[in-house]
Amino acid sequence: AYFKRFQVKFRRRRAGKTDYRARTRLVAQDKNKYNSPKYRLAVRFTNKDICCQIIYATISGDKVVSAAYAHELENFGLKVGLTNYAAAYCVGLLLARRTLKKFELDEDYEGQTEVDGEDFNVEPNDEGARPFRAYLDVGIKTTSTGSKVFAAMKGACDGGLDIPHNEKRYAGYDTASKELDSETFQRYIMGGHVQDYMENMRDEEPEKYAEHFAKYIEEGVGPDDLEDLYPSVHEAIREDPEHTKKEREQPAEKKRWKLVKMTYEEKKANLKAKLMALKASAEEDEDDE
């Protein structure tokens, strides 16, 4: 920069990755809470995956307590549509149940077991530990009404986490009447909007349907199967949310393209063998003469 008073912004701000104004408020902990971590529910979307993490900040960097990904949903029976609204709800639910199991709170706080589309806030028990509280971290994603970020948050709330929120950004919220249409919201969580889209495309554009939903057809999932698919996934998540680590195979021996450095003893033995070979060849030449 030309002017000497110009101050360079943080690297992740220059890259457009971190909203530091939001991060400051999500990370700053009250002084009277001393060293208690301030947990946040980070929800991030890629083209093919959804990542939900429970994170807290330290001076040395952020620490991840637990995480859940959309590609894990294949283990629970969901093999297609891993980035839609219903899948985001499943990932949030998986993260909540996994986190509570880690802190041994899963039996005390079961959350909302029946998906009815109504807003749910976990209530603290009269005895025992209070509910696990986390604050929603959306990153740089636009927080518009119907955004998938809030589907993941709803899944985490129904899973038993205490996340301060209101119902204004859920799919089905009417800004005019200022009320949440629970039936519409329930349909989104259960993949009803995907079902309508599939049926409409199948009837009007069968060729486009065969191309667009090729993965669904390959897995044998039709529009009518979605109604029973998502409840079974929710049930499977609640039964066993823990992540099973894959057994790592022993890596094969590395190929070495460079010569291995010899030890002093090996060099000595090698020189001795060369001298003996020279001596033997000299003796053979003398015999020939």
Side-chain angles (χ1 to χ4, degrees):
Y2 180 78
F3 297 103
K4 66 178 181 180
R5 287 181 181 272
F6 181 82
Q7 185 174 354
V8 179
K9 288 182 169 58
F10 290 148
R11 179 178 58 82
R12 289 184 64 86
R13 171 62 189 87
R14 295 200 306 270
K17 292 180 178 179
T18 300
D19 179 359
Y20 279 98
R21 186 173 185 273
R23 179 179 167 81
T24 304
R25 287 154 179 76
L26 283 167
V27 165
Q29 180 65 294
D30 297 334
K31 291 289 185 183
N32 61 357
K33 293 181 181 176
Y34 299 98
N35 202 29
S36 298
K38 189 171 185 177
Y39 298 104
R40 64 185 198 273
L41 168 64
V43 183
R44 300 290 184 270
F45 291 85
T46 67
N47 288 342
K48 293 185 178 181
D49 210 354
I50 303 171
C51 172
C52 290
Q53 296 174 322
I54 297 292
I55 308 173
Y56 67 95
T58 64
I59 295 294
S60 59
D62 288 6
K63 307 290 182 186
V64 178
V65 176
S66 58
Y69 296 87
H71 64 256
E72 292 182 72
L73 296 177
E74 293 185 7
N75 302 329
F76 301 98
L78 185 63
K79 297 183 179 180
V80 288
L82 298 179
T83 54
N84 60 27
Y85 201 91
Y89 176 89
C90 293
V91 177
L93 178 65
L94 175 59
L95 178 69
R97 299 313 300 165
R98 187 172 285 173
T99 305
L100 292 177
K101 191 158 191 176
K102 183 173 183 177
F103 289 99
E104 298 181 352
L105 294 170
D106 54 326
E107 293 181 3
D108 296 335
Y109 296 100
E110 291 187 358
Q112 180 83 322
T113 54
E114 184 184 348
V115 180
D116 55 4
E118 296 288 341
D119 191 21
F120 174 77
N121 288 285
V122 66
E123 296 293 333
N125 295 335
D126 296 331
E127 296 180 1
R130 295 176 65 79
F132 187 94
R133 172 166 283 198
Y135 298 90
L136 181 63
D137 178 357
V138 299
I140 57 169
K141 192 165 177 67
T142 305
T143 53
S144 55
T145 302
S147 176
K148 291 186 288 186
V149 168
F150 301 106
M153 185 195 73
K154 172 62 174 169
C157 290
D158 285 0
L161 294 186
D162 180 16
I163 303 172
H165 69 281
N166 58 41
E167 59 187 26
K168 289 184 179 179
R169 292 303 182 189
Y170 288 152
Y173 182 81
D174 186 14
T175 52
S177 63
K178 295 186 177 180
E179 289 182 356
L180 175 67
D181 185 356
S182 57
E183 289 183 8
T184 303
F185 189 34
Q186 184 188 23
R187 278 187 61 77
Y188 269 81
I189 292 171
M190 292 300 187
H193 61 301
V194 180
Q195 182 180 347
D196 294 342
Y197 184 56
M198 289 178 74
E199 288 174 350
N200 188 34
M201 187 180 287
R202 183 184 60 185
D203 297 340
E204 294 185 3
E205 300 175 276
E207 291 180 2
K208 188 178 179 182
Y209 172 80
E211 183 182 351
H212 199 71
F213 291 99
K215 186 76 175 177
Y216 283 73
I217 295 166
E218 185 184 326
E219 294 293 338
V221 178
D224 301 328
D225 301 325
L226 297 178
E227 192 175 349
D228 298 325
L229 176 63
Y230 288 105
S232 65
V233 174
H234 300 162
E235 190 178 339
I237 288 171
R238 286 184 176 275
E239 280 180 13
D240 184 20
E242 286 196 279
H243 174 65
T244 52
K245 286 187 177 180
K246 290 183 180 178
E247 291 184 6
R248 293 192 175 184
E249 296 178 358
Q250 191 72 19
E253 290 184 10
K254 289 184 179 178
K255 291 183 178 179
R256 298 184 69 97
W257 306 108
K258 292 182 178 179
L259 291 173
V260 182
K261 195 173 182 180
M262 291 190 293
T263 62
Y264 175 70
E265 296 298 329
E266 287 173 342
K267 286 178 181 178
K268 205 172 178 181
N270 199 13
L271 180 61
K272 192 174 182 180
K274 282 182 180 179
L275 290 171
M276 292 296 287
L278 285 169
K279 189 177 180 183
S281 64
E283 289 176 354
E284 285 177 6
D285 292 340
E286 286 178 5
D287 294 339
D288 293 338
E289 289 175 0

